[in-house]
Amino acid sequence: MGHSEQVQDDYNRRAIEYIEALGSVEQMATPDRELISEWRDSCSGPLLDAGCGPGHWTELLSQDGRDVLGVDLSEEFIGHARAAYPDVSFERGDFRRLPLQSHSLGGILAWYSLIHTEPSAVPQILEEFARVLRPGGSALLGFFGGTDGEEFDHAVSRAYFWSLEGMSNALKAAGFKVVESHQRTVPGSRPHAAVIARRPGFSTP
């Protein structure tokens, strides 16, 4: 079984628990809601929620009539998201082969969805993100801050830390320009980190 299939199986098994604990925007930290909302409003064009999980962030991105697609490996998550948010589009899919045309998106949200990807495979995914983003398009990545590539015991499936510097360098290697970075520490929790990066060029409506 490949790594992505293992992650898919792990989340399918724990989907109900995950949805109960973390399945709504109201359960998310206020700084995260504010950052994602501000980022959404800074983007023009269609948006992708890569690793959408139960679909709560996808629904937030879709507000004010935005064109948004949520993609996730887990059939359980996609089924829940379609039932909970029937006016939003969701597809089961893999980051490595997004079902999208090149230069078709204005923004990609990957909120803690790359943490389960083996570090050696992350550059390929970032290159795929760059492929589907328009010039001037933006990506917002959230992850747990720590030593690059260090493995830790996540509640659902094997996961990895990234430093701000390490993720920023990986984005630059994929052709992005890093424009913003954030860190916050919550007592009793792993450090949180986020990076906003853009594809060089001018955005189009």
Side-chain angles (χ1 to χ4, degrees):
M1 178 183 292
H3 186 64
S4 60
E5 289 83 2
Q6 183 64 58
V7 173
Q8 173 189 339
D9 287 350
D10 289 343
Y11 271 95
N12 280 337
R13 283 196 303 270
R14 304 289 294 277
I16 293 175
E17 296 172 61
Y18 185 99
I19 291 164
E20 290 176 349
L22 300 167
S24 72
V25 169
E26 290 72 27
Q27 292 168 298
M28 302 295 99
T30 299
D32 293 346
R33 295 199 303 267
E34 292 175 345
L35 176 62
I36 292 172
S37 296
E38 291 171 2
W39 171 81
R40 173 201 62 202
D41 294 343
S42 75
C43 296
S44 62
L47 303 175
L48 171 70
D49 186 1
C52 64
H56 50 298
W57 291 124
T58 324
E59 196 276 333
L60 178 71
L61 295 180
S62 75
Q63 293 176 8
D64 298 323
R66 298 299 299 268
D67 180 4
V68 181
L69 173 66
V71 172
D72 201 276
L73 279 171
S74 168
E75 300 98 328
E76 295 293 330
F77 277 156
I78 293 299
H80 169 86
R82 286 172 172 164
Y85 311 110
D87 295 329
V88 184
S89 297
F90 297 95
E91 281 189 37
R92 184 180 171 277
D94 190 329
F95 296 148
R96 295 168 178 81
R97 297 173 296 277
L98 288 169
L100 297 165
Q101 293 183 347
S102 297
H103 308 157
S104 60
L105 296 177
I108 296 174
L109 176 68
W111 198 247
Y112 291 84
S113 53
L114 298 184
I115 63 170
H116 301 295
T117 301
E118 293 175 337
S120 61
V122 168
Q124 177 188 353
I125 293 171
L126 298 182
E127 290 172 3
E128 178 71 346
F129 287 177
R131 179 187 70 81
V132 298
L133 277 173
R134 299 172 176 176
S138 177
L140 170 54
L141 278 61
F143 48 96
F144 290 111
T147 302
D148 292 327
E150 180 180 336
E151 188 175 327
F152 66 90
D153 291 328
H154 185 272
V156 179
S157 192
R158 181 174 56 179
Y160 305 89
F161 290 111
W162 281 87
S163 68
L164 278 176
E165 181 181 10
M167 184 60 77
S168 296
N169 287 338
L171 283 160
K172 292 173 185 175
F176 287 91
K177 178 181 179 181
V178 174
V179 296
E180 210 173 297
S181 60
H182 301 264
Q183 291 187 96
R184 64 182 178 85
T185 302
V186 179
S189 179
R190 301 180 184 95
H192 298 273
V195 174
I196 296 176
R198 293 191 184 278
R199 281 201 67 215
F202 296 101
S203 60
T204 56

